[in-house]
């Protein structure tokens, strides 16, 4: 097993609708938002954690493949395939069970192929979003929603923070190629997962219109890329 090369995948992720990747919070003060977005603790800017992006890509690929990925998954755990050539396990990684067979499968499978970096706002997008400060958010929008119980009817307002439509993030991934099968899987599964993400969505409240995203080539005009195949909207270089 030898590392042949690494594909570097770069793109700009465009939020076509409001994007909300929430943060967990243990305490809430009076006047705080009900549902804040996750922020960089050093800059206070919203960002997309690599774990959120990678997890959604894996989830969508598993559901597209169906079968054992869904039926044999343990509670809140992913399906641990015994096949060292399993595409999901090779691409996204898999922590082996502590038994001899699982450890042997992991040894044959090798390291995780796909690495996904945290995605931060582009400089021009940050400048555009600074105008949101005057409207009560910092690089975000505060969306008011109302929940109405089916019985009783008393309105229950809640505030949700999200990154506004039009925001753009720098996306970078790395894909390790160790053999010919990794080359095949990159074209067959990694690009497919990115396509599925555009069709589905990222973050929370997708069924309510949030989280529609679109990848753009960082060196090409956005208006010229609408409708192009995804492989033409990514900057893929070899290292």
């Amino acid at each position: 097993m030898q590392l042949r090369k690494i594909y570097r995948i770069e793109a700009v992720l465009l939020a076509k609708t409001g994007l909300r990747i929430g943060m967990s919070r243990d305490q809430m003060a009076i006047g705080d938002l009900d549902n804040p977005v996750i922020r960089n603790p050093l800059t206070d800017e919203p960002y997309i954690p690599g774990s959120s992006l990678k997890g959604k890509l894996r989830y969508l690929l598993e559901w597209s493949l169906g079968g054992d990925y869904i039926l044999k998954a343990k509670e809140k755990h992913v399906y641990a395939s015994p096949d060292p050539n399993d595409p999901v396990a090779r691409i996204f990684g898999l922590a082996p069970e502590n038994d001899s067979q699982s450890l042997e499968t992991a040894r044959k499978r090798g390291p995780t192929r796909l690495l996904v970096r945290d995605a931060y706002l582009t400089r021009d997008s940050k400048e555009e979003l600074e105008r949101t400060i005057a409207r009560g958010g910092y690089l975000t929008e505060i969306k008011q929603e109302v929940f109405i119980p089916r019985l009783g009817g008393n309105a229950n307002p809640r505030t949700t923070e999200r990154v506004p439509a039009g925001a753009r993030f720098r996306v970078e991934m790395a894909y390790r190629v160790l053999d010919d099968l990794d080359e095949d899987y990159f074209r067959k599964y990694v690009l497919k997962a990115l396509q599925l993400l555009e069709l589905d969505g990222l973050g929370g409240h997708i069924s309510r219109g949030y989280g529609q995203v679109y990848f753009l080539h960082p060196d090409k005009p956005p208006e010229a890329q609408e409708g192009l195949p995804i492989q033409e909207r990514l900057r893929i270089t070899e290292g």
Side-chain angles (χ1 to χ4, degrees):
M1 187 173 294
Q2 182 179 12
L3 180 63
R4 294 183 180 178
K5 60 185 173 184
I6 295 177
Y7 283 127
R8 186 182 185 190
I9 310 153
E10 298 171 277
V12 171
L13 184 147
L14 169 66
K16 282 200 159 187
T17 60
L19 177 64
R20 198 192 113 65
I21 297 179
M23 61 178 291
S24 61
R25 58 190 314 173
D26 299 326
Q27 296 179 333
M28 179 183 292
I30 295 175
D32 277 0
L33 291 167
D34 298 326
N35 302 299
V37 299
I38 191 167
R39 294 177 177 275
N40 182 330
L42 296 179
T43 64
D44 209 29
E45 296 171 7
Y47 75 105
I48 301 173
S51 58
S52 297
L53 186 52
K54 183 180 178 184
K56 189 57 184 287
L57 292 171
R58 179 180 192 140
Y59 166 89
L60 291 170
L61 184 60
E62 287 178 336
W63 273 94
S64 74
L65 296 174
D68 290 343
Y69 296 108
I70 308 304
L71 298 176
K72 292 188 178 180
K74 300 176 182 178
E75 289 186 13
K76 298 183 179 180
H77 290 79
V78 298
Y79 165 58
S81 172
D83 181 3
N85 293 328
D86 178 80
V88 175
R90 282 174 71 110
I91 294 170
F92 294 96
L94 184 66
E97 301 289 340
N98 191 24
D99 59 72
S100 58
Q101 182 178 357
S102 296
L103 292 173
E104 178 61 18
T105 300
R107 188 189 68 79
K108 293 179 180 177
R109 184 174 58 242
T112 301
R113 306 307 197 266
L114 182 66
L115 316 179
V116 183
R117 319 285 189 204
D118 291 344
Y120 298 100
L121 287 168
T122 63
R123 179 178 299 179
D124 57 343
S125 186
K126 178 183 174 183
E127 292 173 355
E128 291 175 358
L129 290 174
E130 285 178 345
R131 70 188 64 171
T132 63
I133 297 174
R135 298 197 294 268
Y138 179 64
L139 307 179
T140 59
E141 65 175 331
I142 309 302
K143 187 171 182 291
Q144 294 283 348
E145 297 186 345
V146 178
F147 169 71
I148 302 176
R150 301 301 181 265
L151 299 176
N154 295 330
N156 181 17
R158 58 192 177 197
T159 53
T160 298
E161 185 180 32
R162 67 181 191 174
V163 179
R168 297 175 295 280
F169 295 83
R170 300 186 307 275
V171 171
E172 181 179 332
M173 305 179 192
Y175 182 80
R176 301 160 170 161
V177 176
L178 277 66
D179 53 31
D180 292 341
L181 193 58
D182 290 336
E183 288 276 12
D184 183 43
Y185 282 2
F186 178 73
R187 306 294 172 188
K188 190 173 182 180
Y189 296 114
V190 175
L191 295 181
K192 178 180 180 180
L194 292 170
Q195 286 179 307
L196 290 172
L197 184 68
E198 290 185 336
L199 294 172
D200 189 89
L202 179 65
H205 306 332
I206 293 172
S207 66
R208 302 211 299 266
Y210 292 43
Q212 184 183 7
V213 299
Y214 195 71
F215 291 103
L216 295 168
H217 195 291
D219 299 331
K220 299 178 181 178
E223 59 274 13
Q225 300 185 57
E226 189 69 36
L228 291 179
I230 192 163
Q231 58 268 30
E232 297 181 24
R233 291 184 276 115
L234 303 173
R235 182 164 63 195
I236 302 173
T237 54
E238 294 183 18

